[in-house]
Amino acid sequence: MSAALAERLQACGPVVDLAAADRTRERLEHGLASVHDRKSIAELWPVLAPMFGAAPYLASLGSRDPPRLMRLLGGTPEAALERILANCGAIRTATDIDLAAGRLRELKSELHLLAALADLGGVWETGAVTAALSRFADEAVATAIHLAAAEAVSRGRLASLGDGEDGPVPGFFIVAMGKHGAFELNYSSDIDLMAFYEPEALPLVKGQEPQQTAVRLVERMAELLQSRTDRGYVFRVDLRLRPDPSSTPVAVAIPWAFGYYESVGQNWERAALIKARAAAGDLNRGRKFLAELSPFIWRRHLDFAAIADIHSIKRQIHTYKVDDRLSAAGADLKLGRGGIREIEFFVQTQQLILGGRHPELRSPSTLSALKALSAAGHVGEATAVELAKAYDSLRRWEHRVQMIADEQTHRLPAAADARRRIAALSGCSTLKAFDAAVTRTLRLVNRHYGALFAGEEALSSRQGSLVFTGVDEDPETLATLRRMGFSNPETVSATIRSWHHGLVSAGRSARGRELLTRLAPRLLEAAAATGAPNIAFVRFADFFARLSGGVQVQSLFLAQPALLALIVRIMAYAPRFSATLARSPAALDALFDPGFFAPIAPPLGLADRIAAAGGFEEAMDVARRGKRDLAFQIAVQVLEGRTGPEAAGAAFADLADAVIEGLARATLAEIERRFGRTGGEIAVVALGKCGSREMTAQSDLDLMTLYTAPPEARWSSPLAIDTYCARFTQRLIAALSTHTSEGGLYDVDMQLRPSGTKGPVAVSLEAFKAYYAGEAETWEFLALTRGRVVWATSEGFARTAGAVIEKALRQSRDASATAKDVREMRALMAVERPPDGFWDMKLSRGGLVDIEFAAQYLQLRHAAEDGPLHFNTAAALARLAGWANPEALEPLMKAWRLQQGLSQLLKIALEDDADPEREPRALRGLLVKAGEARDFRALKAKLRGARQAALLASRAATEGD
């Protein structure tokens, strides 16, 4: 048997805090009654002083119970460990659960003191220390489960308490993960556990639910281990490595777990399961469970994409060339560059790729696996030796960091005085020597890590790591996100990890997750490039969550990164566009059209596709899909500055025309199917923005329907002609305005028809003539200047209806009375419909309404004299050059072009009540570009000046004779 611990101890290094060491010695001597024990402390003090002087936590452990310290020093560390483990197991029979919990904490303190003495005194190698900590964790978890189960029996939830390999609760077991599972637990680590149960096997009292009972067992176990008392705690318990922790209870049913791993299990989870071990509870069932998971963990056949995704575990970490960036001060020994994680990833990625065909590579121990990889020729011998030595050094330093205050930290202090304590516990006489050793190790690991899978696509950012595997927030990733401009990096990281967990459709297949791993860094880079990364990411996430598939879209974005950057950029400064895309993500399908960025052309064939659809309902859906895709194309081109305001207005109008024509034909076919054919004629007339071909993304449709009755001999419908055409009109309005599963089309307004809401929805041509010959008011004639026939049952009737409209407009009228009416109408509108802020292009004084009123009045003023008539404002102003003062027309035209261009952008980008001055700089820059101004302040000044000039010109134009 080995000599007593005291006889084997060696001093770990210099004493960095003599005063602290002396205080600890005084407390020890005061607490020892035996002269012999005090003498022993004096003899051992040169060995004990360095550790008690450097680590306040160790000093408190030693001085809190001096006899315990002497007991440990007087025996072998191996015997002390076995005694601690046996005492832990004996607690299971306790009847007082609070006393049992206190005793567990005392044993944890005793183990920590033993491990520190054996580790710092050079008696135990690192592996022996981690094994001792892991074995105690096993016993503590098993004891806590036993106590929780006994309590459940006493409270009538469990029928009986089991024993032996089946554990206290047959069918219920705990899987140790991470370093605990691999017997590599560090000094102040938490323990990563997963709890599973077989619902049919639990010994439940009748009426108890399996899940509820299992969850209570886990919660009680965790409470017994991690609740803090005056005696401290046993272990912090982390249950987040279970399948889908954001939506599953802390105890997972075995059948559901298998389904999860088979459907959405990820490579990082496979890597985590390499170290999985049945540690407590029903061990037989736990081992069987892990054996059945083996095909998921160790896949024998891997395609290129799967291998690339495994590599991604490593490539999400940003690897610098080895240089002076790596240093000891503030270094994260676990997660930082050159740290423990890089060695673990180095090993685990190769295990996942090769272990399916080579069982000898499946060791949960990092060092054992590294040795096996080297023996099989997959890692060079020199590399394996260097990494093994580095791993041991990093783990030892990690333990010493944690011994200072029993904190779950892996970071070396940035302050030299604090780091000097770690150096002393590590046996270094000077801080310089310690820092040099740490720096050499970090650089060595980072160099080997950087060489692994060299030359592959980077999955990090130029600004740092972007790791979204696991359940813990990666500190390097959070720092990277902050550098990229994200103010809420934790939320961004959690969102991307949730995608990987299958919470969006794009992450529910292996292929989708592989693509997502590659897409995430590009998405974040694109969001950062917008200058408004938070907004861009949130809006993209909203859209991404609504994708029904996602593989095709992700593939498109990866193949065309400029397209991804475009969509993210637009989302950053166009909230309305972003919301529209989120509601209808299928609009993105239009991007697959190779002509998406070609100059906008009329949507040839759309009307025919709508009319030819298999039934009226299908016609409505075809119309909505066609409108969605083409409106998306127009919107993107406007936002990108590829299409000007007049072309955009015409493009939106061409789209509306095609939809109206297609649905009018489908509607007529449906009416004829139900009520017979008509020999009469029907025309649909557009007014407002559609009629003038000045539509925006938010324009509604102002329509009226005209008809002529057929000769009585040709009338075959049981309905009267007015009823027949009314039915047609009502059905057409429904087709245009009703929301279906494919979304909506347009709001439709029929109030501009003769007699407005009081008149029939369909107007006969004779009634139209009579109304405009004797009843129509001036405002109705102004509206009619935009009247345009967009569909008719025949070309001849379209020409006839157009001629009737023109004849109504060319009637003789009193210019002064008309001008007076226009002025009064505008004054009343100013009171009843004031502008909604500075950016209201329509209703602001000198805005689009004033310009349109002027153009419409001037046309009416000269129509009887064969003056120009045109439904489009810009075209009308241009043609009025010979009929009105050019000095009045020019400011109207300039103001119209400026405001129409800004309006097109704002209607696509923003909701009606949004203020562009509160939006990201990118949108303001787009407005500046559209307005051909120097900057945003200059744009506002230009807009004010244009409106003022247009207002004066409008007033001058409507003065009359």
Side-chain angles (χ1 to χ4, degrees):
M1 182 179 288
S2 302
L5 177 58
E7 297 174 17
R8 298 162 62 186
L9 292 177
Q10 304 170 28
C12 59
V15 180
V16 296
D17 190 339
L18 288 172
D22 288 343
R23 288 193 297 272
T24 302
R25 180 176 179 176
E26 290 174 4
R27 288 195 292 269
L28 284 171
E29 291 177 344
H30 180 75
L32 293 171
S34 167
V35 174
H36 178 268
D37 286 347
R38 289 198 293 271
K39 182 179 179 181
S40 296
I41 286 294
E43 292 172 351
L44 287 171
W45 195 243
V47 176
L48 299 176
M51 61 182 76
F52 290 152
Y57 174 64
L58 299 184
S60 69
L61 287 180
S63 59
R64 184 191 309 164
D65 189 350
R68 178 178 62 188
L69 173 62
M70 299 309 299
R71 184 169 64 250
L72 292 174
L73 292 170
T76 66
E78 295 77 15
L81 173 61
E82 296 303 325
R83 177 174 40 74
I84 291 170
L85 297 177
N87 288 339
C88 185
I91 296 173
R92 297 172 197 176
T93 60
T95 56
D96 188 322
I97 199 165
D98 292 329
L99 290 176
R103 181 63 179 140
L104 272 176
R105 283 151 179 76
E106 292 172 357
L107 291 172
K108 166 64 180 301
S109 296
E110 187 171 354
L111 174 76
H112 257 198
L113 183 57
L114 170 65
L117 291 168
D119 186 358
L120 299 177
V123 177
W124 279 351
E125 296 293 336
T126 305
V129 176
T130 60
L133 294 164
S134 301
R135 289 181 65 195
F136 178 78
D138 283 358
E139 288 294 331
V141 171
T143 298
I145 291 174
H146 202 286
L147 293 170
E151 189 176 63
V153 171
S154 69
R155 294 185 176 181
R157 298 190 187 111
L158 291 176
S160 61
L161 201 62
D163 200 0
E165 284 283 288
D166 289 344
V169 185
F172 175 88
F173 59 89
I174 298 293
V175 172
M177 301 290 288
K179 291 182 171 61
H180 181 193
F183 286 100
E184 297 172 342
L185 207 58
N186 60 45
Y187 191 75
S188 292
S189 175
D190 57 7
I191 50 176
D192 293 298
L193 305 176
M194 296 195 297
F196 298 96
Y197 66 95
E198 183 64 65
E200 302 302 323
L202 299 180
L204 299 174
V205 170
K206 187 177 180 179
Q208 295 295 311
E209 291 292 330
Q211 178 177 299
Q212 186 179 49
T213 302
V215 166
R216 284 177 174 173
L217 283 172
V218 176
E219 291 173 342
R220 188 60 169 137
M221 172 202 72
E223 181 184 10
L224 289 170
L225 292 174
Q226 67 186 6
S227 60
R228 289 184 176 270
T229 70
D230 56 351
R231 298 180 183 182
Y233 66 100
V234 188
F235 287 103
R236 291 172 293 264
V237 178
D238 192 335
L239 298 161
R240 293 174 300 157
L241 286 180
R242 69 185 186 275
D244 197 5
S246 63
S247 60
T248 56
V250 292
V252 180
I254 291 174
W256 189 92
F258 281 130
Y260 169 85
Y261 287 122
E262 289 171 3
S263 60
V264 295
Q266 299 168 62
N267 279 320
W268 73 263
E269 290 176 297
R270 294 174 58 212
L273 285 166
I274 291 174
K275 297 180 182 293
R277 174 174 58 84
D282 191 337
L283 294 176
N284 284 330
R285 202 175 296 270
R287 294 180 187 120
K288 181 182 178 183
F289 170 77
L290 292 176
E292 292 181 20
L293 271 185
S294 182
F296 165 71
I297 305 169
W298 306 110
R299 294 168 60 184
R300 290 185 59 83
H301 304 290
L302 297 166
D303 58 20
F304 175 80
I307 292 174
D309 196 52
I310 292 170
H311 289 186
S312 74
I313 297 175
K314 171 263 174 190
R315 290 181 287 125
Q316 294 174 48
I317 301 177
H318 187 61
T319 306
Y320 294 98
K321 293 181 179 179
V322 176
D323 58 20
D324 290 339
R325 298 174 196 246
L326 291 176
S327 61
D332 190 321
L333 299 172
K334 178 182 178 181
L335 301 178
R337 290 176 286 115
I340 295 167
R341 179 179 62 176
E342 291 192 353
I343 301 175
E344 292 175 337
F345 280 6
F346 183 101
V347 172
Q348 290 168 359
T349 50
Q350 295 181 85
Q351 283 184 285
L352 288 180
I353 293 169
L354 302 167
R357 297 184 303 278
H358 302 284
E360 67 275 13
L361 303 179
R362 299 178 182 179
S363 172
S365 164
T366 301
L367 293 181
S368 296
L370 184 58
K371 186 175 181 180
L373 286 166
S374 177
H378 300 295
V379 176
E381 183 179 355
T383 298
V385 170
E386 288 181 340
L387 287 177
K389 182 180 179 182
Y391 183 80
D392 183 74
S393 296
L394 290 166
R395 293 303 307 274
R396 285 189 291 107
W397 294 329
E398 178 186 44
H399 285 181
R400 282 141 185 77
V401 169
Q402 294 174 349
M403 287 174 182
I404 298 297
D406 189 28
E407 293 178 340
Q408 189 189 7
T409 180
H410 315 277
R411 189 176 293 278
L412 289 173
D417 286 345
R419 203 163 62 258
R420 194 170 283 111
R421 294 176 179 270
I422 314 299
L425 293 177
S426 303
C428 291
S429 58
T430 66
L431 179 61
K432 182 178 180 181
F434 173 74
D435 284 350
V438 172
T439 300
R440 281 195 305 272
T441 301
L442 295 176
R443 293 180 180 179
L444 179 144
V445 171
N446 194 234
R447 183 174 69 248
H448 285 304
Y449 185 75
L452 186 65
F453 315 130
E456 295 192 36
E457 174 190 10
L459 296 177
S460 60
S461 164
R462 292 184 299 274
Q463 301 189 53
S465 298
L466 290 173
V467 177
F468 302 108
T469 56
V471 294
D472 286 319
E473 298 291 359
D474 176 60
E476 291 288 334
T477 297
L478 298 183
T480 300
L481 292 172
R482 288 190 186 93
R483 286 192 291 270
M484 295 174 80
F486 293 95
S487 62
N488 54 345
E490 293 83 3
T491 300
V492 173
S493 178
T495 299
I496 294 176
R497 287 207 316 277
S498 75
W499 293 345
H500 280 283
H501 274 290
L503 296 187
V504 296
S505 295
R508 289 177 190 152
S509 68
R511 179 59 177 156
R513 292 190 295 277
E514 289 160 3
L515 294 172
L516 179 56
T517 300
R518 297 175 55 208
L519 181 67
R522 299 188 185 188
L523 164 63
L524 294 169
E525 291 277 12
T530 67
N534 298 304
I535 294 173
F537 180 81
V538 167
R539 291 172 181 166
F540 185 91
D542 190 23
F543 150 76
F544 198 60
R546 297 172 188 254
L547 287 177
S548 59
V551 169
Q552 190 178 24
V553 171
Q554 290 190 87
S555 298
L556 174 67
F557 284 154
L558 288 168
Q560 300 186 41
L563 196 58
L564 172 64
L566 165 67
I567 294 300
V568 174
R569 182 170 66 251
I570 290 176
M571 286 181 169
Y573 57 65
R576 185 181 184 277
F577 174 88
S578 179
T580 300
L581 190 57
R583 287 191 298 269
S584 302
L588 206 63
D589 292 345
L591 292 171
F592 294 102
D593 185 340
F596 184 82
F597 288 106
I600 298 293
L604 299 177
L606 177 58
D608 289 338
R609 291 198 303 275
I610 296 170
F616 187 67
E617 301 297 331
E618 176 59 22
M620 291 172 64
D621 286 340
V622 171
R624 280 151 180 78
R625 289 193 292 268
K627 191 253 186 178
R628 178 191 64 207
D629 291 349
L630 292 169
F632 177 72
Q633 180 186 16
I634 299 167
V636 169
Q637 293 213 18
V638 170
L639 290 171
E640 283 294 284
R642 295 170 182 253
T643 296
E646 290 183 65
F652 280 123
D654 284 336
L655 175 56
D657 288 359
V659 169
I660 293 169
E661 178 187 343
L663 286 176
R665 288 161 59 186
T667 299
L668 184 59
E670 176 69 5
I671 294 296
E672 288 178 343
R673 183 185 67 80
R674 297 183 62 186
F675 303 113
R677 298 178 61 84
T678 174
E681 300 273 14
I682 303 176
V684 177
V685 178
L687 301 107
K689 291 290 188 182
C690 182
S692 66
R693 293 176 57 78
E694 298 166 348
M695 292 185 74
T696 68
Q698 297 187 49
S699 294
D700 57 9
L701 298 180
D702 293 289
L703 302 178
M704 73 168 68
T705 304
L706 302 178
Y707 69 89
T708 59
E712 187 173 338
R714 294 175 56 193
W715 183 247
S716 61
S717 173
L719 300 178
I721 183 63
D722 56 345
T723 304
Y724 189 96
C725 292
R727 294 279 178 89
F728 164 83
T729 304
Q730 291 162 347
R731 200 66 185 266
L732 176 61
I733 294 171
L736 288 166
S737 59
T738 301
H739 278 254
T740 73
S741 60
E742 293 290 344
L745 275 177
Y746 300 99
D747 291 331
V748 179
D749 190 342
M750 303 287 289
Q751 295 186 67
L752 294 182
R753 69 185 187 271
S755 300
T757 56
K758 297 179 180 179
V761 292
V763 181
S764 72
L765 203 60
E766 293 304 316
F768 178 89
K769 293 176 183 177
Y771 183 82
Y772 279 95
E775 297 181 49
E777 298 182 20
T778 299
W779 71 266
E780 293 175 288
F781 283 103
L782 293 178
L784 194 62
T785 61
R786 292 175 158 188
R788 181 171 61 88
V789 177
V790 295
W791 174 81
T793 48
S794 70
E795 291 185 7
F797 188 60
R799 288 192 295 271
T800 298
V804 168
I805 291 172
E806 182 173 353
K807 184 177 180 180
L809 291 172
R810 291 195 181 281
Q811 297 177 74
S812 297
R813 52 181 45 84
D814 186 320
S816 297
T818 302
K820 180 175 180 292
D821 287 345
V822 170
R823 292 194 300 272
E824 290 177 352
M825 287 164 50
R826 185 64 185 99
L828 180 63
M829 181 180 287
V831 174
E832 294 184 346
R833 296 178 62 190
D836 185 16
F838 177 80
W839 295 98
D840 188 333
M841 301 295 159
K842 180 178 180 179
L843 297 174
S844 292
R845 299 316 306 262
L848 294 174
V849 164
D850 282 317
I851 300 168
E852 290 163 359
F853 270 28
Q856 291 162 9
Y857 165 74
L858 290 172
Q859 290 182 86
L860 291 180
R861 166 71 178 78
H862 300 289
E865 307 165 20
D866 203 27
L869 284 176
H870 201 282
F871 45 77
N872 179 264
T873 304
L877 289 171
R879 296 183 182 192
L880 284 164
W883 299 81
N885 185 353
E887 294 182 359
L889 296 176
E890 184 177 356
L892 293 173
M893 179 65 79
K894 285 183 177 180
W896 185 89
R897 289 187 185 280
L898 173 62
Q899 293 181 95
Q900 182 70 3
L902 295 176
S903 179
Q904 287 287 0
L905 280 172
L906 292 172
K907 293 296 184 181
I908 292 171
L910 302 181
E911 301 294 348
D912 285 335
D913 58 351
D915 183 352
E917 298 188 45
R918 297 179 181 177
E919 293 297 318
R921 184 181 303 172
L923 175 61
R924 299 198 296 273
L926 201 63
L927 292 170
V928 168
K929 182 180 178 181
E932 299 180 348
R934 183 180 64 258
D935 53 33
F936 196 66
R937 179 179 296 179
L939 173 65
K940 293 180 69 175
K942 181 177 182 179
L943 185 54
R944 288 191 190 94
R947 284 173 173 170
Q948 183 63 30
L951 181 61
L952 294 175
S954 175
R955 287 173 175 171
T958 56
E959 285 300 320
D961 294 334

